[in-house]
Amino acid sequence: QVQLLESGGGSVQAGGSLNLECATYGITHNIQIMGWFRQAPGKEREGVAAIDLSSRRTDYADSVKGRLTISYDNTKNILYLQMNTMKPEDTAMYYCAATFRRTGIWYRERTFDYWGQGTQVAVSS
C-alpha cells in the first residue's frame, strides 16, 4: 500500500510560479511510475506529467511543456511539480498518483492505483 499527500497549492497571478509536493508513504520502493493529474471545474481529470522512477523518463501534456517540470527525490520520497509561467487555464485541483506496474498509458487514470486527496491551484489573470 502507498499513501500520497499533496501540498503546495495556492493562488497566484498569471506568470507566477508554484511548486507542488506529493509526499509518499508506505511501500514506496515498489513504485514504478508517478504522475500529476488535474481537474478543473466542469471538466474531466487530465494527465499533466509523469515520471518513471527507474529510468527518470518524463512525459508531459502538450499544454504544459516548457512550463511545468516533474521530478522525484529518492532521499525524501517526494514527488514535485514545479509550475512556472502559470496561466489561468492551469487553475484546477491537482492530484498525484502512483503505480507499482510498468504498463499502461501515462495520461490515463486507470494506469494508476494510488491517489492523493488533491491540492487546489488558482491562477488569476
Side-chain angles (χ1 to χ4, degrees):
Q1 293 289 334
V2 169
Q3 295 80 43
L4 307 174
L5 182 61
E6 303 96 335
S7 63
S11 298
V12 297
Q13 290 190 329
S17 298
L18 281 176
N19 189 25
L20 305 185
E21 296 187 5
C22 173
T24 63
Y25 304 94
I27 313 176
T28 58
H29 61 273
N30 282 355
I31 297 175
Q32 299 297 317
I33 299 173
M34 295 197 72
W36 285 99
F37 285 72
R38 67 186 181 188
Q39 187 168 20
K43 295 188 177 181
E44 294 186 351
R45 192 177 300 189
E46 63 173 352
V48 175
I51 183 169
D52 183 312
L53 299 192
S54 294
S55 68
R56 297 294 166 158
R57 169 186 166 141
T58 56
D59 289 287
Y60 295 92
D62 288 342
S63 59
V64 305
K65 283 181 180 177
R67 301 188 300 114
L68 275 57
T69 303
I70 188 171
S71 62
Y72 186 79
D73 187 329
N74 286 73
T75 64
K76 299 179 179 179
N77 292 329
I78 295 178
L79 179 73
Y80 299 96
L81 185 67
Q82 177 65 45
M83 307 173 71
N84 299 325
T85 320
M86 297 180 70
K87 303 177 180 180
E89 50 263 43
D90 293 324
T91 296
M93 183 72 80
Y94 283 72
Y95 301 89
C96 66
T99 179
F100 292 166
R101 296 172 287 138
R102 302 189 64 83
T103 58
I105 299 174
W106 72 267
Y107 52 83
R108 290 189 176 165
E109 291 185 64
R110 60 173 179 251
T111 296
F112 296 89
D113 305 304
Y114 302 98
W115 293 83
Q117 295 299 307
T119 185
Q120 182 68 48
V121 171
V123 185
S124 58
S125 57

